[in-house]
Amino acid sequence: MYQVTDFQKIGVGLAGFGIAFLFLGVLFLFDKGLLAIGNILFICGLAFVIGLERTFRFFFQRHKLKATSFFVGGILIVLLGWPVIGMCVEMYGFFLLFSGFFPVAVNFLRRVPNYKILDLPYIRTVSTLYIHYIEPSGKPFVTKKLNDEIFYQQNMYTMYISKLAH
């Protein structure tokens, strides 16, 4: 079994507080102080969880330099006093950095018992599209199986609505 160290426990707490501060910063109409604290706590938490060297290697891989520059640029823009623009730039960088992880997370959430939010009609279509359409390399591809599944889901949703109407 994998042993969790005290540094990793602290890192999870820091990252959790970072996400909470980011959420509060957005909730309080893009308060730049809360957003700045949230960004710093999130990055420190990530460094504690996976280690300083691995964090540096993650952010500065050759194919992730564009994403890292958007993410760090967004943080700097927030710190300079333009929180809305900074958060938009930062979210774009975050999406580019962690887009390879999203399909793994969606597949994990689909396997969790009694967690059926991903089975709702439109959410299932979007998550299926995202998992099958975005390849880990970032290049789109569409298969016949995907087209058939989307057609089936749309058909089932139409039949469900027609049953409700009658």
Side-chain angles (χ1 to χ4, degrees), residues 14-44:
L14 286 173
F17 276 117
I19 291 171
F21 273 96
L22 286 170
F23 177 73
L24 286 174
V26 171
L27 190 68
F28 292 139
L29 302 174
F30 293 97
D31 180 52
K32 68 179 179 180
L34 290 174
L35 293 174
I37 291 171
N39 285 325
I40 292 168
L41 287 175
F42 178 74
I43 292 175
C44 289

Side-chain angles (χ1 to χ4, degrees), residues 89-104:
V89 171
E90 185 180 339
M91 292 312 294
Y92 178 68
F94 183 84
F95 179 75
L96 289 178
L97 276 171
F98 296 102
S99 62
F101 176 71
F102 293 143
V104 175

Side-chain angles (χ1 to χ4, degrees), residues 102-133 145-146 149-150 153:
F102 293 143
V104 175
V106 169
N107 280 331
F108 173 76
L109 288 175
R110 280 192 176 161
R111 289 187 179 94
V112 173
N114 298 327
Y115 189 76
K116 302 297 181 192
I117 194 166
L118 293 177
D119 290 335
L120 295 173
Y122 284 114
I123 295 174
R124 180 170 178 83
T125 303
V126 168
S127 64
T128 303
L129 264 175
Y130 183 78
I131 288 173
H132 293 293
Y133 186 70
K145 180 182 174 189
L146 173 64
E149 185 173 345
I150 292 170
Q153 289 175 4

